[in-house]
Amino acid sequence: MTNKAAKIAKQWLDDADAILVTASNGLSISEGLNLFANDKKLKEVLGDLVDKYHLPNLLTAFAFKYPNQLDYWRMVARVVEYYGNNYEISNYMQDIKKIIGNKSYFVWTSNIDHHFALVGLTNLFEIEGNWFEGVCSNHPAEHSVHYLASKLHEIYEKDQAGTLTEADILKAY
């Protein structure tokens, strides 16, 4: 961005009655969550599941047809623990909050990381949902949204301790 363009953008923001923030995968990548990367962090987050299922990235990990629900929920819990429960506000999010200041705002994002909510922004539409919430996949029209953060943390803790069993994982009802 040129200096001139930055000055124009700042003036628009200063003059705005409200701010619409839109974000997609680029912001998540800037914060260190790259769904497409096959790097050291993938192995750090998913551990043994990377080699066991030849997972090249997080996007594949979420779409993979696991032969058992135990490994599927291990993967979900590990990702949510690393990128959600251990989330630290990034400079990008601090800048967004600073730009918004006291103005009215609305956030529209396709990111599932829930980072906007984790930094305290509340006027939020997560168009693809987020990984802290779930709906029964067998009967979505019949069941409400469930907040899964504590259950996923419990699954993660048991996974790390080597005590996770089929009885611990989430079941469709």
Side-chain angles (χ1 to χ4, degrees), residues 62-108:
F62 276 102
F64 188 78
K65 300 293 183 202
Y66 294 86
N68 63 71
Q69 287 293 297
L70 202 58
D71 280 348
Y72 169 78
W73 286 106
R74 278 188 173 113
M75 178 277 301
V76 172
R78 290 174 185 182
V79 171
V80 172
E81 188 71 21
Y82 189 91
Y83 291 107
N85 292 334
N86 293 320
Y87 176 71
E88 294 180 16
I89 187 170
S90 69
N91 290 337
Y92 300 103
M93 285 296 186
Q94 289 174 353
D95 289 346
I96 290 169
K97 286 182 74 170
K98 184 178 175 184
I99 289 168
I100 291 171
N102 292 323
K103 290 189 182 277
S104 296
Y105 70 92
F106 188 79
V107 177
W108 184 305

Side-chain angles (χ1 to χ4, degrees), residues 121-137:
L121 296 175
T122 56
N123 299 333
L124 175 62
F125 179 50
E126 295 168 314
I127 194 165
E128 295 185 24
N130 70 72
W131 51 35
F132 285 112
E133 297 176 335
V135 176
C136 175
S137 59

Side-chain angles (χ1 to χ4, degrees), residues 14-158:
D14 289 345
D15 293 345
D17 294 326
I19 297 175
L20 172 63
V21 177
T22 60
S24 62
N25 193 46
L27 178 61
S28 292
I29 291 171
S30 296
E31 287 197 293
L33 168 56
N34 189 336
L35 297 174
F36 308 104
N38 186 344
D39 56 12
K40 187 173 118 178
K41 191 183 283 187
L42 178 70
K43 183 76 171 194
E44 182 181 337
V45 174
L46 295 182
D48 61 320
L49 298 176
V50 171
D51 293 331
K52 184 175 182 179
Y53 296 113
H54 310 288
L55 301 170
N57 55 48
L58 289 174
L59 193 59
T60 301
F62 276 102
F64 188 78
K65 300 293 183 202
Y66 294 86
N68 63 71
Q69 287 293 297
L70 202 58
D71 280 348
Y72 169 78
W73 286 106
R74 278 188 173 113
M75 178 277 301
V76 172
R78 290 174 185 182
V79 171
V80 172
E81 188 71 21
Y82 189 91
Y83 291 107
N85 292 334
N86 293 320
Y87 176 71
E88 294 180 16
I89 187 170
S90 69
N91 290 337
Y92 300 103
M93 285 296 186
Q94 289 174 353
D95 289 346
I96 290 169
K97 286 182 74 170
K98 184 178 175 184
I99 289 168
I100 291 171
N102 292 323
K103 290 189 182 277
S104 296
Y105 70 92
F106 188 79
V107 177
W108 184 305
T109 181
S110 61
N111 296 348
I112 63 167
D113 54 35
H114 205 52
H115 289 176
F116 286 102
L118 292 173
V119 301
L121 296 175
T122 56
N123 299 333
L124 175 62
F125 179 50
E126 295 168 314
I127 194 165
E128 295 185 24
N130 70 72
W131 51 35
F132 285 112
E133 297 176 335
V135 176
C136 175
S137 59
N138 290 342
H139 310 284
E142 299 168 23
H143 299 279
S144 62
V145 173
H146 295 276
Y147 197 67
L148 305 174
S150 62
K151 184 62 177 174
L152 290 173
H153 180 68
E154 178 186 316
I155 290 171
Y156 174 80
E157 292 286 317
K158 288 184 176 187

